[in-house]
Amino acid sequence: MIEAEQWIEGLIEQAGWLGPVLFIFLHLIRPFLFLPVVVVCVAGGYLFGFLGGAVYSIIGLSLMSAVFYKLVNHFPRVGERMLKLKRKVAGERKMTIGQVMVLRVMPFVHFHLLSLYLMDMTKSYREYMHYSVLGVITPALLYTAFGEVIERMPWYESLTFLTVLLVLYAFLERRKKQKQEQSED
């Protein structure tokens, strides 16, 4: 994996003005290379600086969301496989859009699994893309800006960061249940 990252880095650096295009394309093929989102975003910050890396990552992740939506809707087998994965991982669990947004920030949470949740919660492609783009901004900014910090954090700081995100997720879950109970009354 390290060799693949070095090869990709060298290719983008030598590409000149085509570098950003190749980097955005890397986001599109990332799932096939089994590269986590965090790795690609951190690479964007390293190669293009914070602003460029964040913008290119937002564009790439947004395009990936659009491609995923089209694949799932145009190829039923892809959709069925992803739904099986969703059921296997999360069962019939329901989430709010806020919870999906929090999970998008967590490193190594399956990007497309969360996209399936967004597809279930939204009524149209436009609404799905609206929330998808909003959902990739925070991780793109966070991983691009703080990627090296997150990667080099001692285990106890990483665990603290993960705990804060899990508490935020649980808070949103509790709030969702309270709203459901209030609407039933």
Side-chain angles (χ1 to χ4, degrees):
M1 187 150 136
I2 292 173
E3 293 85 21
E5 290 175 38
Q6 291 172 345
W7 176 77
I8 291 167
E9 181 181 320
L11 181 68
I12 289 174
E13 284 178 353
Q14 293 176 359
W17 66 270
L18 249 137
V21 174
L22 291 174
F23 181 73
I24 291 168
F25 181 71
L26 175 62
H27 272 290
L28 293 174
I29 63 169
R30 176 195 55 76
F32 304 108
L33 300 174
F34 301 106
L35 291 172
V37 171
V38 65
V39 171
V40 178
C41 290
V42 169
Y46 176 75
L47 294 170
F48 303 107
F50 170 70
L51 184 61
V55 168
Y56 302 146
S57 288
I58 290 167
I59 293 168
L61 290 170
S62 297
L63 286 173
M64 185 68 246
S65 292
V67 168
F68 178 75
Y69 186 94
K70 297 295 183 183
L71 280 174
V72 167
N73 285 311
H74 285 80
F75 298 102
R77 283 190 174 178
V78 173
E80 289 170 14
R81 286 184 180 174
M82 291 305 297
L83 286 173
K84 282 182 186 177
L85 174 66
K86 180 183 167 192
R87 282 188 213 110
K88 188 183 272 188
V89 171
E92 296 299 321
R93 180 176 191 82
K94 301 284 185 196
M95 281 196 260
T96 65
I97 290 175
Q99 288 172 313
V100 171
M101 300 299 183
V102 169
L103 288 176
R104 279 264 163 99
V105 176
M106 290 186 184
F108 309 110
V109 173
H110 198 283
F111 184 84
H112 297 304
L113 180 65
L114 297 174
S115 292
L116 277 178
Y117 275 103
L118 281 180
M119 288 174 74
D120 287 345
M121 289 182 256
T122 55
K123 296 175 181 83
S124 67
Y125 174 71
R126 184 181 178 141
E127 186 180 11
Y128 165 80
M129 283 307 299
H130 171 78
Y131 287 115
S132 290
V133 171
L134 288 176
V136 299
I137 291 172
T138 302
L141 292 173
L142 181 69
Y143 296 150
T144 302
F146 302 110
E148 285 188 48
V149 174
I150 291 170
E151 292 293 320
R152 294 181 184 181
M153 275 185 192
W155 67 270
Y156 56 87
E157 287 179 9
S158 297
L159 189 59
T160 303
F161 180 67
L162 181 62
T163 302
V164 168
L165 289 175
L166 288 171
V167 167
L168 180 58
Y169 177 83
F171 170 76
L172 290 171
E173 177 74 14
R174 180 174 294 140
R175 200 167 132 204
K176 176 183 80 170
K177 286 180 182 178
Q178 288 173 345
K179 284 184 179 182
Q180 285 175 346
E181 290 171 1
Q182 288 174 354
S183 67
E184 289 174 2
D185 292 338

